[in-house]
């Protein structure tokens, strides 16, 4: 039996989890962990929330709260999200735990004492109004490369990584003051000293997948510079040196150590040594946006400390949404908490695994989600299982029949069932999660065809043994599906086991042990149901509605006079109003703005006005918006109202319908 240390990339505690987080990191880690537990390996899977850094501090400033309040809020959300997706972590902690502080300080001090961390004089932006040095996220300005608005560390438009001192027209995001450059100092890690070691680690580690090797190799070819490990902030782990008051550890040194601190806290509770797992086999599951950090910075720090380096770094590629890049700032995203309100998490686990290999970018589409659920889970796997269970009850008193005098077709099917655990297991062991699920689906599809060809509903009257063989083998496949689907669909797999009267699915090898003739199964209910078109249309409409709301929230405070001149605002009068089905926010209005026929406008006023209250009301209408569909209803304008109370911006009683305001 091997010991395996599995970590999931630490989610940053400034927001809940969305589909991309689950797809790239937590789901593949869980599949791998569940399978290895089933084959007898001793697994320790850990994670924690990453709770320091400037984004949380900035958010706290904006909300006039303490950073710990922000991180606690999102830690609790993330825990619920991870649990709702049945991610089987052994330990989940926080980087604000005291144990993590102790480990991070000790790690830094150890490298400092080895002369691998040194003080470096640098120049940094300083806000004379706030009277403090400004970490990167506290500065915004114009990108020196493309001229777009940019943060102090990154330009979203062109993707350029930046230093705050490089920005054109920088300003402090707290007070708006133009910062000045001042001399200061930070602490840097001698990463350059480990360049040859890291090249050897990347080149000669056959475990590493191609995307990790390629990203890391390209970075190493440019040569490594030493790496600054500290920041001037109040929020974070204090640098454990007398001369370093007011400085904290950079999040990308201490966040890595969240793997270790989470494992060490597990050790205190379990009484078992986490080091035994690390020293046997280590695999990090991450997203591709942090490949550089995990393949270069983290191994460099571990090498300096004297630790064994990770055996495997598996990086999931990106997930887009309806063909567009996900954006939390624009609310073009599906949050896990919202998804599990409407659907079983196993359906998402299936779709995200089946849709594309983890090492390739993928796209979530509500239409495709519906198709895979209906055509694959319901029509193939669910249909096969339900027919097997119902026919066994009806024709064989819910007992597995005898298998005798098999035909060539019977034996071909039996061998496919027998081989499935080994083939699927081999794929999972090699991190080929989609390939494993494809093989499981292929055999389930084969089972459907076998069942149809055998026609047990006829054979039970004409050739009882033929029907018995069909139901014997169909039940064997159902049992094998329970075991092999367990890493992917844990809840549904347990439900299959319950119907089949199997105590547990703990041991993968048991998938190949046939159920004996006479074994009695329980009454079955359908395991998968089809998703109707109306549901999917509502989900797509909700996604667009959320996007539109966020875009309204994020409108710039300042526009030019030319931009304002392009907006046509007219006086209108509401002629008809009605609620839009399945939306608690939207009303459909027919508004007269002095044209031949009224304009149809969808407005988010349902929480503030009844339809009857709006009829005959004069309103201000943005009349030259591009038409759009909300909840499947065409909208040809916008009603002006306040954001929080929904109060209509009402024109003077003497204003004429169709009169232009500006």
């Amino acid at each position: 039996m091997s010991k395996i240390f599995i970590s999931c990339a630490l989610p940053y505690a400034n927001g809940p989890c969305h589909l991309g987080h689950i797809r790239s990191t937590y789901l593949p880690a869980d599949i791998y962990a569940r399978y290895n537990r089933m084959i007898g390996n001793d697994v320790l899977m850990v994670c924690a929330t990453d709770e320091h850094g400037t984004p949380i501090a900035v958010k706290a400033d904006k909300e006039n709260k303490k950073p710990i309040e922000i991180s606690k809020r999102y830690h609790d959300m993330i825990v619920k999200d991870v649990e709702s997706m049945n991610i089987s972590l052994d330990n989940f902690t926080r980087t604000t735990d005291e144990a993590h502080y102790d480990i991070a300080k000790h790690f830094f001090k150890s490298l400092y004492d080895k002369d691998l961390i040194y003080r470096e004089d640098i120049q940094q932006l300083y806000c004379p109004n706030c009277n403090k040095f400004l970490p990167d996220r506290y500065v915004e300005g114009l990108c020196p490369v493309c001229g777009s608005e940019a943060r102090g560390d990154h330009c979203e438009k062109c993707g350029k990584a930046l230093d705050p001192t490089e920005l054109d027209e920088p300003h402090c995001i707290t007070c708006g003051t133009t910062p000045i450059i001042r001399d200061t100092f930070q602490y840097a890690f001698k990463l350059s000293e480990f360049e040859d070691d890291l090249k050897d680690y990347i080149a000669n580690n056959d475990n590493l997948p191609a995307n990790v090797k390629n990203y890391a190799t390209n970075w190493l070819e440019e040569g490594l510079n030493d790496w600054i490990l500290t920041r001037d902030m109040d929020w974070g782990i204090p640098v454990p040196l007398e001369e370093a008051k007011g400085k904290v550890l950079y999040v990308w040194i201490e966040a890595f150590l969240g793997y270790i601190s989470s494992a060490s806290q597990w050790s205190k509770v379990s009484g078992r040594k986490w080091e035994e797992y690390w020293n046997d086999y280590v695999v990090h599951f991450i997203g591709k946006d942090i490949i550089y950090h995990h393949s270069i910075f983290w191994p460099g720090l571990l090498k300096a400390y004297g630790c064994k380096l990770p055996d495997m770094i598996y990086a999931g590629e990106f997930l887009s949404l309806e063909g567009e890049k996900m954006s939390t700032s624009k609310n073009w995203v599906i949050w896990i908490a919202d998804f599990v309100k409407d659907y079983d998490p196993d359906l998402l686990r299936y779709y995200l695994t089946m849709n594309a290999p983890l090492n390739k970018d993928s796209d979530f589409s509500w239409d495709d989600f519906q198709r895979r659920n209906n055509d694959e889970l319901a029509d193939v796997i669910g249909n096969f299982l339900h027919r097997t269970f119902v026919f066994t009850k009806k024709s064989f008193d819910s007992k597995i029949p005898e298998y005798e005098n098999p035909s060539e077709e019977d034996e071909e099917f039996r061998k496919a069932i027998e081989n499935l655990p080994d083939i699927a297991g081999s794929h999972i062991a090699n991190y080929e999660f989609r390939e494993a699920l494809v093989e499981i689906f292929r055999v389930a599809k084969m089972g459907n065809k076998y069942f149809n060809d055998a026609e047990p509903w006829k054979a039970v009257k004409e050739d009882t043994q033929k029907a018995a063989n069909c139901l014997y083998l169909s039940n064997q496949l159902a049992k094998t599906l329970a075991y092999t689907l367990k890493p992917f669909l844990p809840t549904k797999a347990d439900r299959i086991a319950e119907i089949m009267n199997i105590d547990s699915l703990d041991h993968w090898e048991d998938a190949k042990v046939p159920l004996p003739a006479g074994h009695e199964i329980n009454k079955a209910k359908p395991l998968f149901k089809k998703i109707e078109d109306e549901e999917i249309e509502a989900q797509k409409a909700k996604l667009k509605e959320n996007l539109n709301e966020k875009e309204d929230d994020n409108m710039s405070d300042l526009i030019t006079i030319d931009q304002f001149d392009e907006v046509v605002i007219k006086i209108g009068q509401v002629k008809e109003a009605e609620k839009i089905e399945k939306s608690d926010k939207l009303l459909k209005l027919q508004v007269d703005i002095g044209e031949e026929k009224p304009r149809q406008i969808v407005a988010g006023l349902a929480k503030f006005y009844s339809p009857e209250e709006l009829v005959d009301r004069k309103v201000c209408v943005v009349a030259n918006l591009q038409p759009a569909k909300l909840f499947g209803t065409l909208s040809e304008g916008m009603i002006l109202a306040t954001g929080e109370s929904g109060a209509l911006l009402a024109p003077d009683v003497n204003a004429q319908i169709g009169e232009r305001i500006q």
Side-chain angles (χ1 to χ4, degrees), residues 52-53 101 108 135 186-187 229-240 244-251 253-254:
H52 296 120
Y101 271 55
F108 178 94
Q186 298 294 349
Y187 292 89
L229 295 182
T230 57
R231 296 290 188 271
D232 289 296
M233 291 183 68
D234 297 326
W235 178 238
I237 300 175
V239 175
K245 290 183 179 178
K247 299 185 187 298
V248 299
L249 300 183
Y250 180 38
V251 70
I253 174 180
E254 56 98 353

PDB file of all heavy atoms in Angstrom, residues 52-53 101 108 135 186-187 229-240 244-251 253-254:
ATOM      1  N   HIS A  52      -4.767  35.900   2.822  1.00  0.00           N
ATOM      2  CA  HIS A  52      -4.008  37.144   2.910  1.00  0.00           C
ATOM      3  C   HIS A  52      -3.904  37.794   1.532  1.00  0.00           C
ATOM      4  O   HIS A  52      -4.517  37.340   0.577  1.00  0.00           O
ATOM      5  CB  HIS A  52      -2.623  36.867   3.498  1.00  0.00           C
ATOM      6  CG  HIS A  52      -2.670  36.375   4.907  1.00  0.00           C
ATOM      7  ND1 HIS A  52      -2.165  35.153   5.286  1.00  0.00           N
ATOM      8  CD2 HIS A  52      -3.206  36.938   6.025  1.00  0.00           C
ATOM      9  CE1 HIS A  52      -2.365  34.977   6.587  1.00  0.00           C
ATOM     10  NE2 HIS A  52      -3.000  36.042   7.055  1.00  0.00           N
ATOM     11  N   GLY A  53      -3.137  38.845   1.435  1.00  0.00           N
ATOM     12  CA  GLY A  53      -2.936  39.505   0.147  1.00  0.00           C
ATOM     13  C   GLY A  53      -3.763  40.763  -0.011  1.00  0.00           C
ATOM     14  O   GLY A  53      -4.729  41.010   0.713  1.00  0.00           O
ATOM     15  N   TYR A 101       0.504  30.439  10.680  1.00  0.00           N
ATOM     16  CA  TYR A 101       1.422  31.549  10.956  1.00  0.00           C
ATOM     17  C   TYR A 101       2.763  31.014  11.460  1.00  0.00           C
ATOM     18  O   TYR A 101       3.837  31.461  11.014  1.00  0.00           O
ATOM     19  CB  TYR A 101       0.814  32.477  11.999  1.00  0.00           C
ATOM     20  CG  TYR A 101      -0.040  33.586  11.429  1.00  0.00           C
ATOM     21  CD1 TYR A 101      -1.113  33.306  10.579  1.00  0.00           C
ATOM     22  CD2 TYR A 101       0.200  34.911  11.741  1.00  0.00           C
ATOM     23  CE1 TYR A 101      -1.907  34.319  10.064  1.00  0.00           C
ATOM     24  CE2 TYR A 101      -0.586  35.943  11.221  1.00  0.00           C
ATOM     25  CZ  TYR A 101      -1.643  35.635  10.393  1.00  0.00           C
ATOM     26  OH  TYR A 101      -2.422  36.640   9.869  1.00  0.00           O
ATOM     27  N   PHE A 108      10.296  30.894   6.596  1.00  0.00           N
ATOM     28  CA  PHE A 108      11.025  32.090   6.163  1.00  0.00           C
ATOM     29  C   PHE A 108      12.331  32.234   6.932  1.00  0.00           C
ATOM     30  O   PHE A 108      13.392  32.478   6.337  1.00  0.00           O
ATOM     31  CB  PHE A 108      10.149  33.324   6.371  1.00  0.00           C
ATOM     32  CG  PHE A 108      10.818  34.615   5.992  1.00  0.00           C
ATOM     33  CD1 PHE A 108      10.656  35.153   4.730  1.00  0.00           C
ATOM     34  CD2 PHE A 108      11.622  35.301   6.903  1.00  0.00           C
ATOM     35  CE1 PHE A 108      11.276  36.350   4.366  1.00  0.00           C
ATOM     36  CE2 PHE A 108      12.251  36.489   6.552  1.00  0.00           C
ATOM     37  CZ  PHE A 108      12.071  37.015   5.285  1.00  0.00           C
ATOM     38  N   PRO A 135       1.152  48.622  -1.788  1.00  0.00           N
ATOM     39  CA  PRO A 135       1.295  47.334  -2.487  1.00  0.00           C
ATOM     40  C   PRO A 135       0.606  47.412  -3.851  1.00  0.00           C
ATOM     41  O   PRO A 135      -0.232  48.290  -4.102  1.00  0.00           O
ATOM     42  CB  PRO A 135       0.591  46.340  -1.558  1.00  0.00           C
ATOM     43  CG  PRO A 135       0.556  47.014  -0.227  1.00  0.00           C
ATOM     44  CD  PRO A 135       0.449  48.483  -0.503  1.00  0.00           C
ATOM     45  N   GLN A 186      12.871  45.474   0.748  1.00  0.00           N
ATOM     46  CA  GLN A 186      12.090  44.253   0.932  1.00  0.00           C
ATOM     47  C   GLN A 186      13.078  43.101   1.074  1.00  0.00           C
ATOM     48  O   GLN A 186      14.298  43.308   1.058  1.00  0.00           O
ATOM     49  CB  GLN A 186      11.131  44.028  -0.238  1.00  0.00           C
ATOM     50  CG  GLN A 186      10.078  45.094  -0.432  1.00  0.00           C
ATOM     51  CD  GLN A 186       9.070  45.191   0.697  1.00  0.00           C
ATOM     52  OE1 GLN A 186       9.012  44.314   1.566  1.00  0.00           O
ATOM     53  NE2 GLN A 186       8.295  46.271   0.709  1.00  0.00           N
ATOM     54  N   TYR A 187      12.529  41.883   1.165  1.00  0.00           N
ATOM     55  CA  TYR A 187      13.375  40.694   1.294  1.00  0.00           C
ATOM     56  C   TYR A 187      13.162  39.800   0.082  1.00  0.00           C
ATOM     57  O   TYR A 187      12.023  39.529  -0.313  1.00  0.00           O
ATOM     58  CB  TYR A 187      13.049  39.940   2.587  1.00  0.00           C
ATOM     59  CG  TYR A 187      13.448  40.732   3.812  1.00  0.00           C
ATOM     60  CD1 TYR A 187      12.550  41.629   4.391  1.00  0.00           C
ATOM     61  CD2 TYR A 187      14.716  40.614   4.361  1.00  0.00           C
ATOM     62  CE1 TYR A 187      12.897  42.379   5.496  1.00  0.00           C
ATOM     63  CE2 TYR A 187      15.082  41.363   5.476  1.00  0.00           C
ATOM     64  CZ  TYR A 187      14.172  42.246   6.031  1.00  0.00           C
ATOM     65  OH  TYR A 187      14.541  42.996   7.121  1.00  0.00           O
ATOM     66  N   LEU A 229       9.864  38.515  -1.574  1.00  0.00           N
ATOM     67  CA  LEU A 229       8.942  37.697  -0.781  1.00  0.00           C
ATOM     68  C   LEU A 229       8.150  38.484   0.259  1.00  0.00           C
ATOM     69  O   LEU A 229       7.436  37.876   1.056  1.00  0.00           O
ATOM     70  CB  LEU A 229       9.723  36.606  -0.029  1.00  0.00           C
ATOM     71  CG  LEU A 229      10.435  35.539  -0.858  1.00  0.00           C
ATOM     72  CD1 LEU A 229      11.092  34.527   0.067  1.00  0.00           C
ATOM     73  CD2 LEU A 229       9.449  34.834  -1.763  1.00  0.00           C
ATOM     74  N   THR A 230       8.268  39.803   0.289  1.00  0.00           N
ATOM     75  CA  THR A 230       7.604  40.573   1.339  1.00  0.00           C
ATOM     76  C   THR A 230       6.867  41.763   0.737  1.00  0.00           C
ATOM     77  O   THR A 230       7.115  42.174  -0.394  1.00  0.00           O
ATOM     78  CB  THR A 230       8.618  41.064   2.392  1.00  0.00           C
ATOM     79  OG1 THR A 230       9.625  41.849   1.737  1.00  0.00           O
ATOM     80  CG2 THR A 230       9.267  39.890   3.097  1.00  0.00           C
ATOM     81  N   ARG A 231       5.952  42.326   1.527  1.00  0.00           N
ATOM     82  CA  ARG A 231       5.177  43.486   1.134  1.00  0.00           C
ATOM     83  C   ARG A 231       5.018  44.420   2.333  1.00  0.00           C
ATOM     84  O   ARG A 231       5.090  43.987   3.485  1.00  0.00           O
ATOM     85  CB  ARG A 231       3.777  43.074   0.635  1.00  0.00           C
ATOM     86  CG  ARG A 231       3.769  42.232  -0.620  1.00  0.00           C
ATOM     87  CD  ARG A 231       4.175  43.036  -1.840  1.00  0.00           C
ATOM     88  NE  ARG A 231       3.997  42.308  -3.087  1.00  0.00           N
ATOM     89  CZ  ARG A 231       4.913  41.513  -3.646  1.00  0.00           C
ATOM     90  NH1 ARG A 231       6.080  41.319  -3.040  1.00  0.00           N
ATOM     91  NH2 ARG A 231       4.684  40.908  -4.796  1.00  0.00           N
ATOM     92  N   ASP A 232       4.769  45.708   2.058  1.00  0.00           N
ATOM     93  CA  ASP A 232       4.464  46.673   3.118  1.00  0.00           C
ATOM     94  C   ASP A 232       2.960  46.706   3.325  1.00  0.00           C
ATOM     95  O   ASP A 232       2.228  47.328   2.556  1.00  0.00           O
ATOM     96  CB  ASP A 232       4.975  48.060   2.728  1.00  0.00           C
ATOM     97  CG  ASP A 232       6.484  48.153   2.768  1.00  0.00           C
ATOM     98  OD1 ASP A 232       7.049  48.005   3.858  1.00  0.00           O
ATOM     99  OD2 ASP A 232       7.086  48.359   1.701  1.00  0.00           O
ATOM    100  N   MET A 233       2.485  46.021   4.347  1.00  0.00           N
ATOM    101  CA  MET A 233       1.048  45.938   4.631  1.00  0.00           C
ATOM    102  C   MET A 233       0.822  45.623   6.098  1.00  0.00           C
ATOM    103  O   MET A 233       1.727  45.151   6.796  1.00  0.00           O
ATOM    104  CB  MET A 233       0.392  44.825   3.795  1.00  0.00           C
ATOM    105  CG  MET A 233       0.303  45.074   2.316  1.00  0.00           C
ATOM    106  SD  MET A 233      -0.578  43.710   1.508  1.00  0.00           S
ATOM    107  CE  MET A 233      -2.234  43.938   2.169  1.00  0.00           C
ATOM    108  N   ASP A 234      -0.402  45.867   6.541  1.00  0.00           N
ATOM    109  CA  ASP A 234      -0.808  45.420   7.881  1.00  0.00           C
ATOM    110  C   ASP A 234      -1.389  44.013   7.826  1.00  0.00           C
ATOM    111  O   ASP A 234      -1.321  43.275   8.806  1.00  0.00           O
ATOM    112  CB  ASP A 234      -1.866  46.370   8.469  1.00  0.00           C
ATOM    113  CG  ASP A 234      -1.319  47.768   8.672  1.00  0.00           C
ATOM    114  OD1 ASP A 234      -0.126  47.888   8.988  1.00  0.00           O
ATOM    115  OD2 ASP A 234      -2.084  48.738   8.500  1.00  0.00           O
ATOM    116  N   TRP A 235      -2.014  43.662   6.680  1.00  0.00           N
ATOM    117  CA  TRP A 235      -2.744  42.401   6.565  1.00  0.00           C
ATOM    118  C   TRP A 235      -1.820  41.316   6.021  1.00  0.00           C
ATOM    119  O   TRP A 235      -1.409  41.359   4.872  1.00  0.00           O
ATOM    120  CB  TRP A 235      -3.958  42.567   5.660  1.00  0.00           C
ATOM    121  CG  TRP A 235      -4.744  41.311   5.436  1.00  0.00           C
ATOM    122  CD1 TRP A 235      -5.018  40.713   4.255  1.00  0.00           C
ATOM    123  CD2 TRP A 235      -5.361  40.498   6.435  1.00  0.00           C
ATOM    124  NE1 TRP A 235      -5.768  39.586   4.433  1.00  0.00           N
ATOM    125  CE2 TRP A 235      -5.995  39.414   5.769  1.00  0.00           C
ATOM    126  CE3 TRP A 235      -5.430  40.567   7.828  1.00  0.00           C
ATOM    127  CZ2 TRP A 235      -6.694  38.422   6.463  1.00  0.00           C
ATOM    128  CZ3 TRP A 235      -6.126  39.582   8.513  1.00  0.00           C
ATOM    129  CH2 TRP A 235      -6.750  38.529   7.834  1.00  0.00           C
ATOM    130  N   GLY A 236      -1.505  40.343   6.857  1.00  0.00           N
ATOM    131  CA  GLY A 236      -0.641  39.251   6.434  1.00  0.00           C
ATOM    132  C   GLY A 236       0.167  38.722   7.606  1.00  0.00           C
ATOM    133  O   GLY A 236      -0.030  39.112   8.763  1.00  0.00           O
ATOM    134  N   ILE A 237       1.074  37.818   7.304  1.00  0.00           N
ATOM    135  CA  ILE A 237       1.917  37.215   8.329  1.00  0.00           C
ATOM    136  C   ILE A 237       3.167  38.078   8.495  1.00  0.00           C
ATOM    137  O   ILE A 237       3.930  38.266   7.539  1.00  0.00           O
ATOM    138  CB  ILE A 237       2.308  35.782   7.936  1.00  0.00           C
ATOM    139  CG1 ILE A 237       1.048  34.921   7.782  1.00  0.00           C
ATOM    140  CG2 ILE A 237       3.255  35.171   8.964  1.00  0.00           C
ATOM    141  CD1 ILE A 237       1.309  33.514   7.280  1.00  0.00           C
ATOM    142  N   PRO A 238       3.398  38.630   9.681  1.00  0.00           N
ATOM    143  CA  PRO A 238       4.549  39.516   9.874  1.00  0.00           C
ATOM    144  C   PRO A 238       5.873  38.814   9.572  1.00  0.00           C
ATOM    145  O   PRO A 238       6.057  37.645   9.903  1.00  0.00           O
ATOM    146  CB  PRO A 238       4.462  39.889  11.355  1.00  0.00           C
ATOM    147  CG  PRO A 238       3.035  39.665  11.724  1.00  0.00           C
ATOM    148  CD  PRO A 238       2.583  38.497  10.896  1.00  0.00           C
ATOM    149  N   VAL A 239       6.773  39.535   8.917  1.00  0.00           N
ATOM    150  CA  VAL A 239       8.115  39.001   8.673  1.00  0.00           C
ATOM    151  C   VAL A 239       8.803  38.828  10.028  1.00  0.00           C
ATOM    152  O   VAL A 239       8.870  39.779  10.820  1.00  0.00           O
ATOM    153  CB  VAL A 239       8.924  39.954   7.775  1.00  0.00           C
ATOM    154  CG1 VAL A 239      10.358  39.464   7.623  1.00  0.00           C
ATOM    155  CG2 VAL A 239       8.261  40.080   6.407  1.00  0.00           C
ATOM    156  N   PRO A 240       9.314  37.646  10.321  1.00  0.00           N
ATOM    157  CA  PRO A 240       9.851  37.363  11.671  1.00  0.00           C
ATOM    158  C   PRO A 240      11.271  37.905  11.885  1.00  0.00           C
ATOM    159  O   PRO A 240      12.181  37.168  12.264  1.00  0.00           O
ATOM    160  CB  PRO A 240       9.814  35.834  11.726  1.00  0.00           C
ATOM    161  CG  PRO A 240      10.023  35.407  10.321  1.00  0.00           C
ATOM    162  CD  PRO A 240       9.327  36.437   9.471  1.00  0.00           C
ATOM    163  N   ALA A 244      12.078  44.365  10.433  1.00  0.00           N
ATOM    164  CA  ALA A 244      11.085  44.305   9.349  1.00  0.00           C
ATOM    165  C   ALA A 244       9.681  44.675   9.810  1.00  0.00           C
ATOM    166  O   ALA A 244       8.696  44.172   9.270  1.00  0.00           O
ATOM    167  CB  ALA A 244      11.086  42.912   8.735  1.00  0.00           C
ATOM    168  N   LYS A 245       9.571  45.566  10.780  1.00  0.00           N
ATOM    169  CA  LYS A 245       8.254  45.962  11.255  1.00  0.00           C
ATOM    170  C   LYS A 245       7.463  46.624  10.125  1.00  0.00           C
ATOM    171  O   LYS A 245       7.996  47.420   9.366  1.00  0.00           O
ATOM    172  CB  LYS A 245       8.393  46.917  12.438  1.00  0.00           C
ATOM    173  CG  LYS A 245       8.912  46.234  13.702  1.00  0.00           C
ATOM    174  CD  LYS A 245       8.978  47.196  14.871  1.00  0.00           C
ATOM    175  CE  LYS A 245       9.481  46.479  16.123  1.00  0.00           C
ATOM    176  NZ  LYS A 245       9.591  47.404  17.272  1.00  0.00           N
ATOM    177  N   GLY A 246       6.180  46.268  10.029  1.00  0.00           N
ATOM    178  CA  GLY A 246       5.334  46.814   8.981  1.00  0.00           C
ATOM    179  C   GLY A 246       5.377  46.030   7.691  1.00  0.00           C
ATOM    180  O   GLY A 246       4.702  46.393   6.727  1.00  0.00           O
ATOM    181  N   LYS A 247       6.164  44.967   7.659  1.00  0.00           N
ATOM    182  CA  LYS A 247       6.262  44.144   6.450  1.00  0.00           C
ATOM    183  C   LYS A 247       5.669  42.763   6.716  1.00  0.00           C
ATOM    184  O   LYS A 247       5.803  42.224   7.816  1.00  0.00           O
ATOM    185  CB  LYS A 247       7.717  44.019   5.995  1.00  0.00           C
ATOM    186  CG  LYS A 247       8.352  45.359   5.642  1.00  0.00           C
ATOM    187  CD  LYS A 247       9.735  45.208   5.079  1.00  0.00           C
ATOM    188  CE  LYS A 247      10.403  46.578   4.902  1.00  0.00           C
ATOM    189  NZ  LYS A 247       9.682  47.448   3.957  1.00  0.00           N
ATOM    190  N   VAL A 248       5.026  42.219   5.697  1.00  0.00           N
ATOM    191  CA  VAL A 248       4.417  40.894   5.808  1.00  0.00           C
ATOM    192  C   VAL A 248       4.945  39.996   4.694  1.00  0.00           C
ATOM    193  O   VAL A 248       5.485  40.472   3.694  1.00  0.00           O
ATOM    194  CB  VAL A 248       2.874  40.962   5.735  1.00  0.00           C
ATOM    195  CG1 VAL A 248       2.313  41.792   6.874  1.00  0.00           C
ATOM    196  CG2 VAL A 248       2.414  41.512   4.382  1.00  0.00           C
ATOM    197  N   LEU A 249       4.772  38.699   4.881  1.00  0.00           N
ATOM    198  CA  LEU A 249       5.179  37.736   3.860  1.00  0.00           C
ATOM    199  C   LEU A 249       4.243  37.840   2.661  1.00  0.00           C
ATOM    200  O   LEU A 249       3.020  37.907   2.809  1.00  0.00           O
ATOM    201  CB  LEU A 249       5.135  36.312   4.413  1.00  0.00           C
ATOM    202  CG  LEU A 249       6.033  36.004   5.614  1.00  0.00           C
ATOM    203  CD1 LEU A 249       5.910  34.532   5.989  1.00  0.00           C
ATOM    204  CD2 LEU A 249       7.482  36.350   5.313  1.00  0.00           C
ATOM    205  N   TYR A 250       4.835  37.844   1.477  1.00  0.00           N
ATOM    206  CA  TYR A 250       4.058  37.834   0.237  1.00  0.00           C
ATOM    207  C   TYR A 250       3.220  36.563   0.203  1.00  0.00           C
ATOM    208  O   TYR A 250       3.663  35.475   0.605  1.00  0.00           O
ATOM    209  CB  TYR A 250       5.013  37.900  -0.950  1.00  0.00           C
ATOM    210  CG  TYR A 250       4.369  37.895  -2.310  1.00  0.00           C
ATOM    211  CD1 TYR A 250       3.183  38.571  -2.571  1.00  0.00           C
ATOM    212  CD2 TYR A 250       4.985  37.227  -3.370  1.00  0.00           C
ATOM    213  CE1 TYR A 250       2.615  38.587  -3.829  1.00  0.00           C
ATOM    214  CE2 TYR A 250       4.428  37.233  -4.644  1.00  0.00           C
ATOM    215  CZ  TYR A 250       3.244  37.907  -4.861  1.00  0.00           C
ATOM    216  OH  TYR A 250       2.684  37.909  -6.112  1.00  0.00           O
ATOM    217  N   VAL A 251       2.004  36.702  -0.292  1.00  0.00           N
ATOM    218  CA  VAL A 251       1.075  35.574  -0.266  1.00  0.00           C
ATOM    219  C   VAL A 251       1.619  34.356  -1.012  1.00  0.00           C
ATOM    220  O   VAL A 251       1.326  33.208  -0.659  1.00  0.00           O
ATOM    221  CB  VAL A 251      -0.295  36.009  -0.837  1.00  0.00           C
ATOM    222  CG1 VAL A 251      -0.211  36.258  -2.326  1.00  0.00           C
ATOM    223  CG2 VAL A 251      -1.379  35.010  -0.516  1.00  0.00           C
ATOM    224  N   ILE A 253       4.541  33.108  -0.980  1.00  0.00           N
ATOM    225  CA  ILE A 253       5.426  32.207  -0.232  1.00  0.00           C
ATOM    226  C   ILE A 253       4.595  31.474   0.814  1.00  0.00           C
ATOM    227  O   ILE A 253       4.689  30.264   0.964  1.00  0.00           O
ATOM    228  CB  ILE A 253       6.638  32.920   0.420  1.00  0.00           C
ATOM    229  CG1 ILE A 253       7.415  31.910   1.293  1.00  0.00           C
ATOM    230  CG2 ILE A 253       6.245  34.120   1.200  1.00  0.00           C
ATOM    231  CD1 ILE A 253       8.633  32.468   1.985  1.00  0.00           C
ATOM    232  N   GLU A 254       3.740  32.206   1.514  1.00  0.00           N
ATOM    233  CA  GLU A 254       3.055  31.548   2.632  1.00  0.00           C
ATOM    234  C   GLU A 254       1.844  30.728   2.211  1.00  0.00           C
ATOM    235  O   GLU A 254       1.488  29.759   2.877  1.00  0.00           O
ATOM    236  CB  GLU A 254       2.686  32.570   3.709  1.00  0.00           C
ATOM    237  CG  GLU A 254       1.846  33.749   3.253  1.00  0.00           C
ATOM    238  CD  GLU A 254       0.375  33.572   3.542  1.00  0.00           C
ATOM    239  OE1 GLU A 254      -0.021  32.477   3.969  1.00  0.00           O
ATOM    240  OE2 GLU A 254      -0.370  34.543   3.304  1.00  0.00           O
TER     241      GLU A 254
END
